[in-house]
Amino acid sequence: MDGIGQQGKKKPLTAFALLIILSGIICFTLEQQWYHGMSPILKVPLYVILGTSVAFALTFSVVDLVNYILGFLQVSVAKPFVESASQVYMVLTTALIMGGIFGLIFGVMDVEDEVSYQIRLALLREERYCYPIGALLGAVVGMANEYIREEEERSSGSLPHGFDDEI
């Protein structure tokens, strides 16, 4: 049974590993001359792939860093910030959505084809759309993560704060 469950857990991670490899290949081929004549609609899938892989890598790096720092700074035994499979899948799904939205915005706004002195203005215009989306998704995931942590702690029946029956 563990072999089947373990195989099921490896599939999403393998898919994201392949997505990151594909993003690396796209980055190497993304010369301005090659994609300059393409319409923004044709560029959107490329930027969605890049945005998704960057959001995935950044999100899980930050989650691992926060888990490490919190574990290092806490005196008592404490539950990590993101630990369970449901929390990981929630963060994974949100990284997919967030990266896809950001890649879509970047591709549709066609920032990379701007003249060099207008690139900064185009990026500022894009940020105006991306920051509220990121803040909203972050707030929703933060609340959902805490809800999942509380529900799992309540359903596990364990005593809070790492205490056991011997204390």
Side-chain angles (χ1 to χ4, degrees):
M1 175 114 169
D2 279 339
I4 295 171
Q6 192 74 309
Q7 193 71 354
K9 290 177 184 178
K10 286 184 179 182
K11 285 182 181 181
L13 295 177
T14 303
F16 273 103
L18 292 174
L19 181 69
I20 289 174
I21 291 169
L22 177 63
S23 295
I25 293 169
I26 291 171
C27 285
F28 281 121
T29 62
L30 221 129
E31 292 291 325
Q32 190 174 9
Q33 300 87 349
W34 296 356
Y35 297 104
H36 189 68
M38 291 175 68
S39 71
I41 299 302
L42 294 176
K43 293 178 187 177
V44 167
L46 297 173
Y47 291 119
V48 167
I49 290 170
L50 292 173
T52 301
S53 61
V54 167
F56 169 75
L58 183 65
T59 300
F60 277 91
S61 296
V62 169
V63 166
D64 281 344
L65 183 64
V66 168
N67 278 342
Y68 176 76
I69 290 173
L70 288 177
F72 183 72
L73 295 176
Q74 292 175 344
V75 180
S76 65
V77 176
K79 193 172 184 179
F81 188 60
V82 174
E83 179 184 43
S84 71
S86 58
Q87 289 173 313
V88 169
Y89 285 131
M90 179 193 57
V91 171
L92 183 74
T93 303
T94 305
L96 273 171
I97 293 168
M98 184 172 53
I101 290 172
F102 292 163
L104 177 72
I105 290 171
F106 191 84
V108 167
M109 294 187 79
D110 207 20
V111 173
E112 74 285 350
D113 285 342
E114 295 285 340
V115 181
S116 63
Y117 64 91
Q118 290 182 342
I119 288 179
R120 174 110 172 107
L121 295 173
L123 287 173
L124 289 172
R125 187 176 62 233
E126 181 189 348
E127 286 176 0
R128 191 176 66 219
Y129 296 112
C130 291
Y131 282 155
I133 293 170
L136 179 67
L137 283 174
V140 168
V141 169
M143 289 187 291
N145 183 52
E146 192 57 33
Y147 176 77
I148 291 170
R149 283 179 67 184
E150 292 294 325
E151 285 298 313
E152 287 176 351
E153 188 174 298
R154 191 173 306 135
S155 67
S156 71
S158 65
L159 295 172
H161 307 297
F163 295 117
D164 57 8
D165 294 331
E166 295 177 4
I167 294 181

